[in-house]
Amino acid sequence: MNIDWAHFTPGTALAGGALLGLAAVLLLAFNGRIAGISGIAGGLLQRGAPGDKAWRLAFVLGLVAAPMLYQVFAALPEIVIEADWGMLAAAGLLVGFGSRYGSGCTSGHGVCGLSRLSPRSLVATLTFMATGFAAVFVVRHVLA
Amino acid sequence: MKTIVAFLVGLLFGIGLIVAGMSNPAKVLGFLDLAGAWDPSLALVMGGAVAVGLAGFTLARGRKVSLLGEPMQIPTKRGIDRPLVTGSALFGIGWGLAGICPGPALTLLGTGAPKGLVFVLAMIAGMALFPLLQRRSR
């Protein structure tokens, strides 16, 4: 295996990860909810209990506002999107549908599910990581 | 109150994604590209998140209500079923094609990147298909 030491950022990776874990714990502690982004956002598109939409929308708006707040204090890190428009649209559809059908994504199954030692989330996480590795292999090393 | 908490936690989550490097799709793809120049950073993101999460979720175990008096809504499903595996597999393929999962998609939207907007619109369309499927299978 060929490790890309130039792009390896262990310090900020651990610190950012810890913030994600903290956010998940805070949402559970105060609101009794799992911080799964696909579930929170997806719930906005479904009929739910009355009064269930406001907190979901607020959470989503917080995520959208994050880069704006970050920019007040520091320049945003570089953002590079390699996928072309067609690929992005296909990827978005798969991410949206797949995460709802599979009951979670990197946050709900990955961060929260693994934190509560859920076997379902472990299976989900191993599955989406495996197909993620496979998709990148095909795009970068087979098709390219 | 729970709406304000949700906004602040969303904000904190987004900042965490930016600090961790997950708001940059190229960095995510660098992690998913095992056969190329592999950037292991994201494994540490997950490690840091689960280390904090494990402590918090363990402390919260067994509680019936949250600090704000809300019911604790923890998933109760146990079995490994076909939707879990199929859905996760499809999600992973999409994640690998663009290097974007739902959280970073929303922070990307906030940077004003046009490609972020296209991804989010497609993601919303994909999410909206799910309740339609549920209704048909009933």
Side-chain angles (χ1 to χ4, degrees), chain A residues 83-99:
Chain A
D84 63 28
W85 300 92
M87 184 93 98
L88 276 173
L93 275 173
L94 285 167
V95 165
F97 180 76
S99 61

Side-chain angles (χ1 to χ4, degrees), chain A residues 72-101:
Chain A
V72 174
F73 301 99
L76 277 180
E78 181 189 39
I79 291 170
V80 178
I81 305 178
E82 294 166 11
D84 63 28
W85 300 92
M87 184 93 98
L88 276 173
L93 275 173
L94 285 167
V95 165
F97 180 76
S99 61
R100 293 296 286 143
Y101 194 48

Side-chain angles (χ1 to χ4, degrees), chain A residues 2 4 7 29-30 32 141, chain B residues 27 33 38 66-67 73 79 115:
Chain A
N2 174 17
D4 184 1
H7 287 102
F30 283 94
H141 304 285
Chain B
K27 187 157 181 78
D33 189 5
W38 188 54
S66 74
L67 297 176
Q73 301 198 33
K115 279 187 166 178

Side-chain angles (χ1 to χ4, degrees), chain A residues 1-5 7-35 37-39 41-42 45-47 51-52 54-71 76-85 87-107 109-121 123-125 127-129 131-137 139-141, chain B residues 1-27 29-42 44-58 60-61 65-98 100-104 106-111 113-116 118-119 122-131 133-135:
Chain A
M1 180 167 282
N2 174 17
I3 293 191
D4 184 1
W5 294 109
H7 287 102
F8 183 46
T9 49
T12 47
L14 273 172
L19 290 179
L20 298 178
L22 179 65
V25 170
L26 289 174
L27 195 68
L28 182 77
F30 283 94
N31 287 12
R33 286 290 184 159
I34 294 289
I37 314 303
S38 55
L45 304 168
Q46 265 178 301
R47 218 174 290 171
D52 187 54
W55 76 273
R56 294 176 185 274
L57 188 62
F59 186 94
V60 167
L61 289 177
L63 272 173
V64 175
M68 302 166 193
L69 176 69
Y70 189 96
Q71 275 175 305
L76 277 180
E78 181 189 39
I79 291 170
V80 178
I81 305 178
E82 294 166 11
D84 63 28
W85 300 92
M87 184 93 98
L88 276 173
L93 275 173
L94 285 167
V95 165
F97 180 76
S99 61
R100 293 296 286 143
Y101 194 48
S103 315
C105 58
T106 356
S107 49
H109 280 313
V111 176
C112 298
L114 296 187
S115 291
R116 52 187 197 89
L117 307 175
S118 153
R120 261 174 71 85
S121 290
V123 169
T125 304
T127 304
F128 65 64
M129 289 196 51
T131 57
F133 287 135
V136 172
F137 183 79
V139 170
R140 287 198 173 174
H141 304 285
Chain B
M1 189 62 196
K2 71 171 178 176
T3 307
I4 297 168
V5 169
F7 177 76
L8 294 175
V9 172
L11 204 53
L12 180 66
F13 201 96
I15 299 286
L17 289 172
I18 296 168
V19 171
M22 287 201 67
S23 61
N24 181 9
K27 187 157 181 78
L29 292 181
F31 169 73
L32 291 175
D33 189 5
L34 289 176
W38 188 54
D39 174 1
S41 304
L42 259 59
L44 294 179
V45 175
M46 195 51 101
V50 172
V52 175
L54 203 55
F57 277 76
T58 305
R61 184 170 297 168
V65 291
S66 74
L67 297 176
L68 292 178
E70 298 288 329
M72 298 296 264
Q73 301 198 33
I74 307 294
T76 49
K77 270 194 200 168
R78 291 250 167 261
I80 312 290
D81 49 24
R82 190 183 294 232
L84 179 80
V85 176
T86 310
S88 297
L90 293 174
F91 160 55
I93 294 171
W95 189 35
L97 289 181
I100 307 171
C101 54
L106 293 167
T107 55
L108 218 48
L109 190 64
T111 67
K115 279 187 166 178
V118 168
F119 184 91
M123 181 175 86
I124 291 172
M127 284 179 166
L129 284 176
F130 171 68
L133 183 96
Q134 266 186 326
R135 217 167 300 157

